[in-house]
Amino acid sequence: MRGLVRAEWTKFRSVPVMPVLAGAVIAVSVLLGWLFAQASAAEYARATAADQAVFDPLQGGSRGVFIVQLLIAALGALVASTEYGSGTIRATVAAAGRRTRLVVAKAALVALTGLATGAAAVWGMFLVSQITLAMHGVPRVWLDDPDAVRLLLFGPVVLELVALFGLSLGILLRSTAAAVNTATAFLLLPMFAPIMPDFLGLTLSTWWPNTAAFRSLMPSESSLPIWMGMGVLAAFVAVMMVWARTRFRTRDV
C-alpha cells in the first residue's frame, strides 16, 4: 500500500496540470480573500450604524471558499480521470493487483493533498481578508476568536472531503469533463434554493452536503452544529467512495 501511494504521488507530480491546479487553488483563495474583503470594507463604509453593529468580518472575508470548492473538487477528479484519458489505467490496475487497494491509495493521496492544499487556501484567505479589513479601518477578527479558530481548523477538512467527492466522480464517470461538470453542478445547486419550492429550498440551503458543512463553519443564528454539518458531508462522501469502489471492482477499466 505504501508503494501504491508513492506511485500515485509520482503520477500526481508528473502530470503538470495537477500541481498547477493545486497552486491555483491557493492563489485564487488569496485573491478572493482580498477581493471580498475590499467589497466588505466598501459595504461597511456605506452601511448605517445599525448595520455596522452587526457586521460579520469573518463571513465577509471568507465568501470565496464557495468558489474555491469547485477547483479542489476538480483536483480530486483529475487524480482518477486523467488515467482514463491517457489510457494508462489498465497498466495501473495490472501493477496494483487488487483494485480496492488502488482506490484506497488514490483516496489517501487525495486526502493528503486536499488537506494540505485546503489548509493553505483557507489560512491564506483568512489572513489576507482580515489584514485587508484592518487596513481599511473595518472591524476584523483574529486568531483569538473562537469562530475564526473553527473555520481555520475545520475549513481544510471540508475542502479535503470535497476533493474526495471529486475523486469518486472521476472513478465513476471516467472522464475529466464529465466529472468536473457534474461536481460543479452539484456543488452550485444550493444557489437556486431561493427559487425552489419550500421543501426543496430548505433541503438545498440547509442539508445539501456541502451547504451543511459550510453552514456549520460560518457563525450565524441559523448555523448547524459543527458535528452535524461535517457529519452530513462526511457521510455523503463515504457513500460516494463506496459506490466508486464497488463500480471500479465490477466493471472493465
Side-chain angles (χ1 to χ4, degrees), residues 26 32 34 41 47 60 68 76 104 110 116 135 137 149-150 160 162-163 177 189 192 205 241:
I26 300 171
L32 291 175
W34 178 75
V68 172
V104 172
V110 171
M135 291 175 61
V149 172
R150 178 173 56 181
E160 175 190 34
V162 171
L189 195 58
F192 298 96
S205 63
M241 286 303 304

Side-chain angles (χ1 to χ4, degrees), residues 32-33 36-37 40 56-64 125 129-130 133:
L32 291 175
F36 280 114
S40 295
D56 185 354
L58 183 62
Q59 190 166 9
S62 304
R63 286 177 288 182
M125 181 181 296
S129 64
Q130 299 309 310
L133 290 176

Side-chain angles (χ1 to χ4, degrees), residues 40-47 52 138:
S40 295
E43 292 173 4
Y44 182 87
R46 297 191 300 265
Q52 289 180 349
V138 176

